[in-house]
Amino acid sequence: MRYSKEHEWLSAAEDGVSTVGITEHAANALGDVVYVQLPEVGDTVTAGETCGELESTKSVSDLYSPVTGEIVEANQDVVDDPSLVNSAPFEGGWLFKVRVAQEPEDLLSAAEYTDFAS
């Protein structure tokens, strides 16, 4: 996995498609997520730009894409049950899948993200 400084994670690509979610650190900082707005299938997202929104009991936070590409799937389970973002940020709480056109060079390794987040 790779991580952005906006606290999103990105899985290794399978056939050019990566899964994106927010980190456990971000989920804990947000508090209980109560609403999720995700990009739609077919949307083009750009690395570092807003592509959705997460609303929690504490605040509203923009969702940023860690890569540039085309959305191939949005996680409807998270839209229906936003608490998955908190309870399983790396499993059922993933947000969307993207066909990666370009991956920025500034994504972090797990160790680099741990240092960054602390």
Side-chain angles (χ1 to χ4, degrees):
M1 282 196 190
R2 306 283 290 174
Y3 301 85
S4 74
K5 290 183 178 178
E6 287 80 24
H7 305 286
E8 282 84 22
W9 58 264
L10 176 76
S11 72
E14 290 185 32
D15 296 324
V17 175
S18 290
T19 303
V20 174
I22 67 165
T23 65
E24 187 172 4
H25 173 82
N28 289 338
L30 275 172
D32 295 333
V33 177
V34 295
Y35 173 77
V36 176
Q37 177 194 359
L38 300 175
E40 295 183 17
V41 172
D43 286 354
T44 299
V45 292
T46 302
E49 292 191 6
T50 303
C51 64
E53 186 176 273
L54 301 171
E55 184 176 327
S56 73
T57 54
K58 292 182 181 180
S59 67
V60 175
S61 179
D62 287 332
L63 174 63
Y64 296 91
S65 180
V67 294
T68 298
E70 181 182 345
I71 301 300
V72 297
E73 185 177 351
N75 188 353
Q76 187 61 44
D77 291 342
V78 166
V79 173
D80 295 340
D81 182 5
S83 70
L84 289 170
V85 172
N86 298 104
S87 64
F90 294 102
E91 293 87 27
W94 61 273
L95 301 176
F96 60 87
K97 294 185 180 187
V98 58
R99 182 167 312 284
V100 179
Q102 183 178 6
E103 184 176 309
E105 294 180 16
D106 64 347
L107 292 178
L108 307 172
S109 68
E112 290 168 333
Y113 179 76
T114 299
D115 288 345
F116 171 77
S118 58

